[in-house]
Amino acid sequence: VTSFAQCRVAADGFDIRYAEAGEGAALVCFHGAGGLRVSPGHELLAARRRVIAFQAPGFGDSPVNDRTATMPELAATMLAAVDALGIDGFDLWGTSFGGRLALWTAIAAPERVRALVLVSPAAIILRPRPQATPELLYAHPERRPAGAPPRPEVQAQQANLVARLMEPHRDPRLEAAMRELAVPTLVLFGTEDRITPPELGRRYVELLPNGHLMLVYDAAHAIDGDRPEAFAAIAEDFLERHEQFVVRRESGVLYP
Amino acid sequence: MLDTLTGGRVVAGMLRGTSNEYVTYGVNPAESRERFVEALRLIVRAWTEPQPFGWLGRHYEYRTVSIWPRPVQDPHPPIVMSISSPEMAEFAAANRIGAGLAVTTVPRAADALRVYRAAAAAHGWEPAPDDVLYRAAVHVADTDAHAWTECAPFATPDRPVGALSMANPAIDDAVAGAGYYGRERAQQRARVASAGDLRERIDTGQLLAGAPQTVLGQVADIRRTLGAGVLELAFIAPSPDSRRRAIELFGEHVLPRMAEL
């Protein structure tokens, strides 16, 4: 198991916590509405990359964030944090709430984001989302990474921030910008996901000019927890080869 | 494509496959059920997904799937799957999939349907006759004696009518040892090996054979005992002429009266 170092960086007036492991090309990660939790997916990807998993201001143990009013503002803050680490070009992975943040980040700096991986993104919300219980997050709750959930007051504080930043649920500005976003984007939905159902996936590839939908079988919302090996393999291949990932490169010859 | 050509009349039969097929294709028989379930999910998704998509499964991985043309039936063609094992009977019932019974006998099919109907009730629905398909071999001639004489060569111990035979029984032992058969292993092995003499095959509904009135009686028994609304018949006959005659007799004297059953 790769061990993640717990670090902090000052950016845009915030003191931002992040977990980091691995060496190589930078992969910046944005967490979902529940906050930062290092998953087996992070650990597998850190074997070949420098994985930097940020905690957005206002989540977890950070002070209440009353300042950030919109997702584009939060994206600007996160880009400032990437700058503060001295990173120019980077790959970007966002989960759920973090998928929406990742899209706004790529829209703000398309020349810096080499490729985008969206896991169960919450950028297009058609119906009110159910409360994210472990049973809804995981098709296999026994695979949930260890660690207690945030304290109730932290959860309430995060929920406030998320509710504010996720408005409007359908954002015409975001969807218009997605139509213009040329960054290669892998969109993953779990076949058992009842928070962001897999039928939403088609809407992303209808909008994104270089978007590619993969349905992850037997995974719910937390894909990288339910199917970490499959998630890491497809993410790794996509980050390396972008749209070329649709083409098999292994030879089909069994014996020469 | 077939659904388009037929104007939406396709019913899709999905089968796990028989033990010998897992040997032929080099697939671990112990994984056959989970492969089947995943494949079924993938096929339904391919039928219904309007945009190209990739599939990251446990057993199957495709980077782009886009079938063309899509089925005309909405959301997709009805599915029938084999429910002879209790595991698959429960799965089909949980997923509101039609019950298919083949390579079996009427008494064994009745047992399987009890499991299926109980599981369907537990999931809040009741299968209709159209949800139950029974498959058997059939031969019709002018008289019972004539039909049975013509069938006899098909019912020798080395010609199991409707049953599966493996040239080398040790292969079925190997597949069974690998875990192909589920929790009713002994019964399932007996089912696919079952044959019996001509009389026994007719009595147990593996083979429908006789004059039209006799065959109609057998069909009525299947309808009554199993509640099956769909029959799938394989016409067996010693010659093309006698097969044609069997089909004519069935079409003229049996089929028109089946609606009354």
Side-chain angles (χ1 to χ4, degrees):
Chain A
V1 173
T2 324
S3 79
F4 274 70
Q6 299 296 326
C7 319
R8 311 196 81 90
V9 62
D12 192 24
F14 291 105
D15 177 25
I16 296 173
R17 181 166 87 87
Y18 65 97
E20 174 173 346
E23 287 172 19
L27 170 62
V28 169
C29 315
F30 295 155
H31 56 76
L36 173 60
R37 185 183 284 246
V38 171
S39 82
H42 290 98
E43 287 167 0
L44 288 167
L45 287 170
R48 293 178 58 184
R49 302 177 174 274
R50 180 185 176 195
V51 174
I52 300 155
F54 282 111
Q55 176 176 275
F59 283 84
D61 54 6
S62 65
V64 175
N65 176 2
D66 289 325
R67 192 186 103 190
T68 308
T70 66
M71 233 16 157
E73 276 182 48
L74 185 56
T77 299
M78 301 321 290
L79 276 170
V82 174
D83 291 339
L85 296 181
I87 293 166
D88 183 20
F90 58 95
D91 294 311
L92 184 54
W93 157 22
T95 297
S96 193
F97 165 87
R100 192 176 183 116
L101 175 58
L103 274 168
W104 277 116
T105 305
I107 289 161
E111 70 292 345
R112 294 178 63 186
V113 177
R114 289 187 295 255
L116 191 53
V117 175
L118 303 177
V119 173
S120 323
I124 300 169
I125 299 170
L126 303 183
R127 274 181 293 278
R129 288 144 44 93
Q131 187 69 29
T133 59
E135 290 68 32
L136 281 182
L137 286 170
Y138 293 88
H140 299 274
E142 75 281 4
R143 296 188 192 150
R144 191 156 64 108
R151 298 189 313 277
E153 61 271 28
V154 170
Q155 289 188 35
Q157 173 186 320
Q158 290 180 171
N160 261 338
L161 180 60
V162 168
R164 184 163 84 235
L165 298 180
M166 295 286 255
E167 288 295 334
H169 283 182
R170 292 288 303 267
D171 187 341
R173 284 189 310 146
L174 173 58
E175 291 180 26
M178 284 167 69
R179 288 187 189 280
E180 306 295 320
L181 185 66
V183 173
T185 304
L186 177 67
V187 181
L188 300 173
F189 277 91
T191 59
E192 310 306 310
D193 188 352
R194 286 176 287 155
I195 297 175
T196 49
E199 289 71 27
L200 288 168
R202 65 188 70 140
R203 295 174 182 267
Y204 290 81
V205 293
E206 281 164 3
L207 291 172
L208 294 163
N210 197 356
H212 306 270
L213 172 63
M214 288 290 289
L215 298 177
V216 184
Y217 175 65
D218 198 26
H221 196 60
I223 292 172
D224 52 311
D226 268 332
R227 303 274 322 275
E229 299 83 2
F231 161 75
I234 199 78
E236 183 68 52
D237 198 23
F238 187 79
L239 293 177
E240 186 185 336
R241 297 202 289 148
H242 299 173
E243 60 273 13
Q244 279 288 314
F245 92 122
V246 298
V247 179
R248 180 189 169 113
R249 62 180 163 179
E250 295 80 16
S251 166
V253 173
L254 292 176
Y255 306 105
Chain B
M1 182 64 86
L2 201 53
D3 201 48
T4 308
L5 288 173
T6 60
R9 294 170 58 206
V10 164
V11 176
M14 303 292 189
L15 303 166
R16 179 164 62 120
T18 52
S19 54
N20 56 312
E21 290 164 330
Y22 285 86
V23 175
T24 302
Y25 292 105
V27 173
N28 187 335
E31 294 172 350
S32 60
R33 280 183 217 283
E34 59 181 66
R35 282 177 68 91
F36 170 80
V37 170
E38 183 183 331
L40 186 66
R41 301 283 190 226
L42 170 56
I43 289 167
V44 171
R45 182 63 66 173
W47 279 340
T48 52
E49 192 58 48
Q51 287 287 341
F53 66 95
W55 183 264
L56 193 59
R58 294 183 185 285
H59 296 282
Y60 300 94
E61 180 174 345
Y62 299 99
R63 298 287 165 96
T64 53
V65 179
S66 58
I67 61 163
W68 186 91
R70 296 183 63 199
V72 299
Q73 293 182 82
D74 184 29
H76 60 75
I79 299 170
V80 172
M81 60 176 275
S82 172
I83 60 135
S84 288
S85 71
E87 291 91 337
M88 292 286 96
E90 287 161 5
F91 174 85
N95 290 277
R96 297 203 178 209
I97 292 172
L101 296 143
V103 192
T104 190
T105 64
V106 168
R108 288 182 198 278
D111 288 343
L113 282 165
R114 267 190 285 280
V115 177
Y116 176 70
R117 290 203 168 96
H123 284 91
W125 71 291
E126 187 179 346
D130 277 359
D131 292 319
V132 179
L133 174 151
Y134 183 80
R135 186 172 90 190
V138 64
H139 184 55
V140 193
D142 299 294
T143 65
D144 284 349
H146 188 193
W148 296 339
T149 306
E150 288 195 319
C151 280
F154 294 91
T156 56
D158 61 323
R159 297 282 299 269
V161 175
L164 302 163
S165 73
M166 290 230 239
N168 183 345
I171 290 178
D172 192 56
D173 290 342
V175 174
Y180 170 81
Y181 298 103
R183 59 184 193 247
E184 282 192 349
R185 174 173 154 162
Q187 294 96 310
Q188 293 302 318
R189 292 194 74 186
R191 176 176 65 81
V192 296
S194 69
D197 62 19
L198 181 65
R199 188 72 256 157
E200 187 186 340
R201 293 182 200 199
I202 292 172
D203 288 346
T204 57
Q206 297 176 63
L207 172 63
L208 317 184
Q213 190 59 36
T214 305
V215 170
L216 183 65
Q218 285 188 281
V219 171
D221 182 55
I222 288 166
R223 180 73 179 82
R224 191 172 51 244
T225 311
L226 302 180
V230 186
L231 264 187
E232 183 190 328
L233 298 173
F235 283 83
I236 58 161
S239 71
D241 283 346
S242 102
R243 179 179 286 113
R244 188 183 310 115
R245 182 74 188 131
I247 293 171
E248 286 169 358
L249 288 168
F250 190 90
E252 285 170 16
H253 303 294
V254 183
L255 197 55
R257 298 184 56 194
M258 280 171 55
E260 302 161 15
L261 299 177

